[in-house]
Amino acid sequence: MATKSGRTIIADQPFSWKTFFLKWEWLLVILFLGINVMNASLSEYYLSGAGLFNATNSFLEKAFVALPMAYILVLGDIDISVGSTACLSAVMLAYFYNLGVPMGLCIIICLLTGTICGAINGLILTKFTELAPMIVTLGTQILYRGIAEAMLGDEARGGLSSVKWFSNLYWGKIGIVPIMLICFIVCAVIFGFVLHKTFFGRRLYAIGANKLAAEYAGIKVQKIRMIVFTLTGTFAAVTAIFLAARMGSTRADIATGYELEAIAMAVLGGFSTDGGKGKFPGLILAIFIVGMLRYGLGLVNMASQFMLVVIGALLIITVMLPNIKSMFKVKKKA
Amino acid sequence: MEKKKFDWKKITGSREMSLVIVLIVLCLFVQIRNSSFLTSETLEDMFRNYAVIFILALGMMCVLLTGGIDISIGSTLAFSGMAAGLVMRDYMIPTPVSFLLSMAIGAGLGLVVGMIITKGKVPPIVCTLGFMNIYRGLTYLIAKSQWVAAYQFTDSFKNFALTKYLGFGLVNNMIAVTIYCYIIFFVVMKWTTIGRRVYAVGSNVEAAAVSGINIGHVKIGVYTLMGFLCGLGGALWTSLYKSAQGDMATGIEMDVIAACVVGGVSLTGGRGSVVGVFLGSLTIAIIGKALPLIGVSQFWQSAIKGLIILVAVILNVLAQRTMDKNNLRRREM
């Protein structure tokens, strides 16, 4: 993507109240508050502690994969194989558990599967840099789900909920706070810290803004891409663990469409598919906006098909909003 | 760009030729394992069932040529097919009207996508991701989550996929439509300014704009065309399967994009040909048709399909690399 012109890395700008309030995140905050007010007016139990945690638990397992997806989008890449990776990892976990392997080992196998899947993506993409990530991950998307289908056929592998501590990963609570929420917060803080406060994060932005310039500046672009794609695979496996813990069984068709949901969350959070853009607080807000909106629409028994329309429209309109402003500006000048 | 002179080396060294060789090997392999593969019935059946993918791949090629992508095509197809199906159920319209209606609806949906991508400056993948959800949801909503079943279609509509009147009695209507589309696209993309403009936008946007091409119009045009073909595909699909369902053609975008990429269309724009797209679609169709014939379990099919796509794409890169190297060597001399 280095040939595209007009990319700049924005250095520290002087602080001004106007730019501070025109930030993307404020739009998300307003959306977030609006959705919560809507939800609260729909259900009187919503604003209790239990109600809120109930709501977050309904979508957070998908959010784990949105974290590394943000990294990938910062790089200017895309990964549409994460849903299949999560599926294959979960299938592996259930498959080996039903062969009598202890659960601890199964989890390691699951994580390993995800990591290997991610590494394969990374390996192909770094060895053949001409290939677009879209098409490689499209191929592996079909391949990974195909392997899962070949392993299970149209059967399900269950019995996972008989291991109490495993199903507690999803259903368990410390006090009233779900364990999954705590895991997510820890992961999110680490991801945010790495992206915004470390060399590694700066390098991600540099690569996303201009790959060629980054390479000339001595950044090992391909090595970093490899790391990020492998990491994405690992976190797809983390998603798989929570999903398996939630459902207690796996099939070859679980986690379909997770890649699109993760991308939608990241894009709504301000991460451009062109790379080099986006901030982590936006992503977290977007995860909760999409999740809470789904939960709220579920509360009023909205048909799931209508939910598709709402979430699709939300995605497009929010991405379009800042552009509408610039469209009018151009017109005034002319 | 293209030399008028006939050059054998160019033909044997091209990406299309390497794909043809792969296809021949694949066909021979399948034929040895199961002799019923290369018979006219099997092949006709294959082309009939994959006609929609063949046709959509043409539109997708145009979208990819401009550097965009459209993953909403499955939903657009479902919506236009469903809408036309509903009208047929309620008003018993004649078959040609139903086809035209479906195509018009598809073109309208594509136009909306194109407008938002160019005027709203939404990245194509994000925009079509959103519309994939929106159109799919609307498909269920207009149908009230019901099917349009076989008995609700007119007989002439159902017979469209079975008869041969468009193919002059030689080939099935579905295949005839596919052939007409390929002929039109081949001519338009190669020998008209419209086709050349699409290539120009994809290979260098700024140069195209400077030379007086209206980038916005071209982009809106290709998405509208994509939608139009989706509408055609929707009509063909409902005619072939004799029902319109809310979840029809889910995931077809992946097959279509795979067909384009295997056929050598570049995702960064500007590169790709109608012949390549045909061969790519043929690869997808042969894989889909041949695997059950040689006794591969249906559960292994998508794994093998994924693997073949990856291998084809990587081979393509390797071929391109050696070609570039050879070109460099020639230049040094």
Side-chain angles (χ1 to χ4, degrees):
Chain A
M1 303 283 160
T3 50
K4 285 188 187 163
S5 57
R7 293 260 174 74
T8 45
I9 302 173
I10 299 161
D12 287 333
Q13 284 174 329
F15 183 82
S16 96
W17 282 106
K18 201 180 160 198
T19 50
F20 180 71
F21 279 110
L22 278 177
K23 266 186 185 168
W24 180 253
E25 281 78 15
W26 286 111
L27 184 69
L28 294 179
V29 169
I30 294 167
L31 259 178
F32 178 71
L33 291 178
I35 284 163
N36 275 309
V37 169
M38 183 192 85
N39 283 356
S41 64
L42 291 174
S43 158
E44 49 193 303
Y45 302 108
Y46 178 75
L47 277 184
S48 64
L52 277 178
F53 290 132
N54 207 351
T56 57
N57 249 22
S58 71
F59 62 86
L60 264 188
E61 84 265 7
K62 294 172 201 166
F64 280 96
V65 79
L67 302 174
M69 186 61 84
Y71 279 19
I72 288 197
L73 290 186
V74 166
L75 281 175
D77 286 329
I78 202 159
D79 185 348
I80 56 169
S81 73
V82 288
S84 301
T85 307
C87 169
L88 181 59
S89 311
V91 164
M92 281 284 188
L93 185 142
Y95 189 82
F96 279 98
Y97 177 73
N98 279 302
L99 289 181
V101 181
M103 186 51 94
L105 204 59
C106 287
I107 290 188
I108 294 173
I109 291 174
C110 172
L111 288 172
L112 219 65
T113 311
T115 312
I116 292 171
C117 287
I120 293 174
N121 282 339
L123 206 65
I124 297 176
L125 283 170
T126 48
K127 290 293 164 208
F128 304 98
T129 46
E130 299 98 320
L131 286 174
M134 176 88 195
I135 196 61
V136 172
T137 52
L138 167 68
T140 52
Q141 179 195 46
I142 302 172
L143 175 67
Y144 296 156
R145 195 170 292 279
I147 296 174
E149 276 170 13
M151 286 175 69
L152 289 195
D154 49 6
E155 297 164 36
R157 286 287 147 84
L160 299 175
S161 46
S162 59
V163 184
K164 196 74 192 130
W165 65 266
F166 181 68
S167 65
N168 269 346
L169 282 178
Y170 180 84
W171 298 104
K173 284 173 182 163
I174 298 176
I176 56 161
V177 187
I179 294 173
M180 188 169 67
L181 181 63
I182 297 171
C183 292
F184 177 74
I185 291 172
V186 171
C187 291
V189 167
I190 295 173
F191 267 84
F193 180 80
V194 169
L195 186 63
H196 289 307
K197 298 289 173 204
T198 63
F199 281 119
F200 187 76
R202 296 307 294 171
R203 283 179 187 150
L204 291 183
Y205 280 106
I207 295 171
N210 192 333
K211 210 170 263 178
L212 205 61
E215 190 129 31
Y216 287 151
I219 298 173
K220 287 180 178 132
V221 174
Q222 299 312 333
K223 194 177 153 195
I224 287 181
R225 284 179 80 205
M226 180 79 202
I227 292 172
V228 171
F229 272 98
T230 313
L231 189 71
T232 309
T234 314
F235 269 80
V238 173
T239 296
I241 292 173
F242 284 111
L243 194 63
R246 176 182 196 171
M247 307 205 295
S249 72
T250 52
R251 293 172 51 88
D253 61 355
I254 59 164
T256 2
Y258 274 29
E259 58 277 356
L260 299 180
E261 209 149 320
I263 293 169
M265 285 172 176
V267 168
L268 189 60
F271 288 85
S272 156
T273 45
D274 286 337
K277 262 188 208 157
K279 294 218 168 63
F280 224 73
L283 173 71
I284 305 297
L285 278 170
I287 287 173
F288 279 88
I289 287 171
V290 174
M292 296 287 197
L293 181 63
R294 250 176 201 269
Y295 182 77
L297 293 179
L299 280 182
V300 283
N301 269 334
M302 186 83 77
S304 62
Q305 296 91 1
F306 193 70
M307 237 186 260
L308 288 178
V309 180
V310 172
I311 287 174
L314 180 76
L315 178 69
I316 291 173
I317 292 170
T318 41
V319 175
M320 210 165 62
L321 267 182
N323 298 337
I324 289 176
K325 211 174 58 192
S326 68
M327 247 160 68
F328 283 120
K329 265 183 199 164
V330 171
K331 269 182 192 163
K332 268 178 202 164
K333 264 183 202 169
Chain B
M1 289 201 116
E2 248 102 353
K3 272 180 220 156
K4 287 274 163 69
K5 232 172 64 183
F6 193 73
D7 191 354
W8 264 111
K9 220 172 216 171
K10 206 163 194 175
I11 296 219
T12 46
S14 69
R15 298 154 81 99
E16 281 85 18
M17 203 58 212
S18 57
L19 199 56
V20 167
I21 294 167
V22 171
L23 275 178
I24 291 173
V25 172
L26 194 68
C27 285
L28 284 180
F29 176 75
V30 176
Q31 180 68 14
I32 291 167
R33 297 288 298 270
N34 187 336
S35 56
S36 70
F37 177 59
L38 286 180
T39 54
S40 61
E41 293 101 71
T42 314
L43 289 180
E44 184 180 345
D45 198 44
M46 180 183 87
F47 279 111
R48 204 160 59 97
N49 286 332
Y50 282 86
V52 175
I53 287 185
F54 272 91
I55 291 172
L56 291 187
L58 283 172
M60 185 61 86
M61 178 189 78
C62 295
V63 172
L64 292 177
L65 278 179
T66 63
I69 195 163
D70 190 344
I71 56 172
S72 70
I73 56 172
S75 306
T76 311
L77 188 155
F79 185 89
S80 41
M82 178 61 89
L86 288 173
V87 174
M88 174 161 271
R89 182 189 69 183
D90 295 342
Y91 302 104
M92 282 296 157
I93 50 173
T95 307
V97 178
S98 166
F99 267 76
L100 287 177
L101 182 68
S102 182
M103 287 187 266
I105 293 171
L109 298 181
L111 180 68
V112 174
V113 173
M115 291 293 275
I116 288 189
I117 287 173
T118 45
K119 301 286 174 198
K121 298 200 181 63
V122 181
I125 177 106
V126 177
C127 179
T128 53
L129 172 63
F131 275 109
M132 184 167 100
N133 285 328
I134 295 176
Y135 290 159
R136 181 68 63 183
L138 288 178
T139 307
Y140 285 106
L141 289 179
I142 56 165
K144 303 193 176 64
S145 294
Q146 286 170 334
W147 290 16
V148 182
Y151 69 90
Q152 288 160 326
F153 288 109
T154 59
D155 284 335
S156 81
F157 188 74
K158 278 184 284 190
N159 285 333
F160 181 82
L162 300 174
T163 45
K164 301 183 170 178
Y165 54 84
L166 277 182
F168 302 108
L170 291 173
V171 286
N172 183 281
N173 283 341
M174 303 278 288
I175 304 173
V177 172
T178 315
I179 294 173
Y180 296 149
C181 286
Y182 270 83
I183 293 173
I184 294 170
F185 268 80
F186 185 79
V187 173
V188 169
M189 295 310 287
K190 216 170 173 82
W191 288 310
T192 66
T193 42
I194 302 172
R196 292 285 111 192
R197 272 184 198 154
V198 176
Y199 279 98
V201 170
S203 32
N204 191 336
V205 181
E206 279 135 28
V210 168
S211 56
I213 296 173
N214 190 328
I215 308 289
H217 287 182
V218 172
K219 284 195 172 169
I220 293 175
V222 291
Y223 286 101
T224 312
L225 181 68
M226 183 78 247
F228 176 82
L229 291 178
C230 286
L232 177 62
L236 292 176
W237 186 287
T238 42
S239 165
L240 180 66
Y241 295 105
K242 298 179 183 57
S243 70
Q245 302 165 18
D247 64 347
M248 61 183 169
T250 317
I252 201 176
E253 57 275 358
M254 296 305 170
D255 274 351
V256 171
I257 295 172
C260 284
V261 172
V262 170
V265 181
S266 154
L267 281 175
T268 44
R271 208 178 250 178
S273 68
V274 174
V275 179
V277 166
F278 176 77
L279 293 172
S281 314
L282 195 60
T283 316
I284 299 292
I286 287 177
I287 295 170
K289 186 74 197 173
L291 288 181
L293 281 181
I294 57 173
V296 177
S297 146
Q298 74 179 88
F299 298 119
W300 272 104
Q301 279 170 30
S302 46
I304 293 174
K305 196 157 102 188
L307 203 61
I308 289 182
I309 292 170
L310 282 179
V311 170
V313 174
I314 290 174
L315 280 181
N316 232 334
V317 168
L318 291 178
Q320 188 69 39
R321 278 184 188 174
T322 42
M323 254 197 283
D324 289 349
K325 224 180 256 171
N326 288 342
N327 285 348
L328 260 184
R329 205 171 292 153
R330 218 174 292 153
R331 208 182 293 169
E332 275 162 14
M333 277 159 46

